[in-house]
Amino acid sequence: EAQVTQNPRYLITVTGKKLTVTCSQNMNHEYMSWYRQDPGLGLRQIYYSMNVEVTDKGDVPEGYKVSRKEKRNFPLILESPSPNQTSLYFCASSRLAGQEETQYFGPGTRLLVL
Amino acid sequence: GQQLNQSPQSMFIQEGEDVSMNCTSSSIFNTWLWYKQDPGEGPVLLIALYKAGELTSNGRLTAQFGITRKDSFLNISASIPSDVGIYFCAGSSGGSNYKLTFGKGTLLTVNP
C-alpha cells in the first residue's frame, strides 16, 4: 500500500530537548516536504526536498533542520524546541510538486512543547 | 513571502446545496491545488490546475484557474454530509521553485 508514515504520532517534550520526527514514504518519490498546521493559519511549509541531498527552506524554517540522505526518508529535527513549535506537523511526498502527480500526506504528528 | 487569501473561513449549509469558495493571491502562481482535510487526517488532493483559464471537474467538484493566475475557485454541487471538512487551496510557482503556499482553509459544515 502506497503511504507516508510519520513517527511518533504524538509527542510531549520540554523546551530545549532535541527531538526528531521521522517521515518515510514507500513510493520512490523525489519530492518530500514538511508542513506545520496551526489554528487560523492553515498549513505552512517548513522545508522541502527535491531529491537526495537537495533541501530548501519553505516559509517558516526557523528552528528546524532536515536531512535527505536517502530517497525514502526525510526527518524533521528540532535542535532546541520551544513552546511556539507546539503544532501539528505533516510530511508529504510526490513524484514532483507542480506536475500532474498527487501529493500524499502523512497522518500527522501532534507535538506539545512545554 | 507569498500569501493566499481564502474565503469564506467557514460555511454552514444544508445538504443538497451548492458551495463555492475561492482563493486570491498577491502574486502569480503556475499551479493551483485544492485539498480536503478530514478530522485527524492529512490533506488529500482533490483537484490540480496547471493552466490559466483551466476548468477541471472531479465528480461534484469543479475548480478553475483564474486568467490572471492570481485566483482560483472551487465549487461543490449538491453537497452531502461527507463533504464536511476543511478545504485548502494551495499555489506553487513551479519551475525551479516547488514551494507550496496554502490558504488558511474553509471549514465546511453540511447539515443533513
Side-chain angles (χ1 to χ4, degrees), chain A residues 9 31 35 37 40-45 48 50 57-59 88 90 96-108, chain B residues 1-2 9 31 33 35 37 40-45 48 50 86 88 92 94-105:
Chain A
R9 292 290 312 278
Y31 180 90
Y35 300 87
Q37 185 174 23
L41 296 177
L43 285 147
R44 293 180 293 168
Q45 193 170 38
Y48 64 96
M50 300 289 290
K57 296 177 181 179
D59 291 317
L88 177 58
F90 288 102
L96 274 178
Q99 303 297 314
E100 295 192 20
E101 295 290 342
T102 299
Q103 264 205 45
Y104 292 86
F105 278 79
Chain B
Q2 295 170 321
Q9 284 186 326
T31 300
L33 308 169
Y35 288 85
Q37 184 179 25
E41 313 231 343
V44 174
L45 184 65
Y50 301 103
I86 303 176
F88 291 100
S92 170
S96 61
N97 177 6
Y98 286 95
K99 281 179 56 178
L100 262 189
T101 300
F102 278 79
K104 294 180 181 180

Side-chain angles (χ1 to χ4, degrees), chain B residues 52-91:
Chain B
E54 180 180 357
L55 184 71
T56 297
S57 293
N58 178 7
R60 294 179 295 105
L61 278 60
T62 302
Q64 183 158 31
F65 191 146
I67 291 289
T68 64
R69 295 180 174 267
K70 291 185 177 182
D71 64 312
S72 177
F73 72 74
L74 174 71
N75 287 342
I76 305 173
S77 62
S79 58
I80 59 179
S82 62
D83 289 334
V84 165
I86 303 176
Y87 291 80
F88 291 100
C89 63

Side-chain angles (χ1 to χ4, degrees), chain A residues 13-19 78-83 85 111 113-114:
Chain A
T13 189
V14 295
T15 299
K17 186 176 181 182
K18 181 180 178 180
L19 66 92
L78 285 70
E79 294 271 4
S80 183
S82 61
Q85 292 179 298
L111 173 65
V113 183
L114 301 171

Side-chain angles (χ1 to χ4, degrees), chain A residues 5 7 17 22 24 27 53 62 76 95 105 109-110 112-113:
Chain A
T5 56
N7 282 293
K17 186 176 181 182
T22 64
S24 183
M27 296 165 280
E53 302 292 1
E62 295 78 18
L76 178 70
R95 281 175 61 178
F105 278 79
T109 294
R110 193 170 288 279
L112 173 61
V113 183

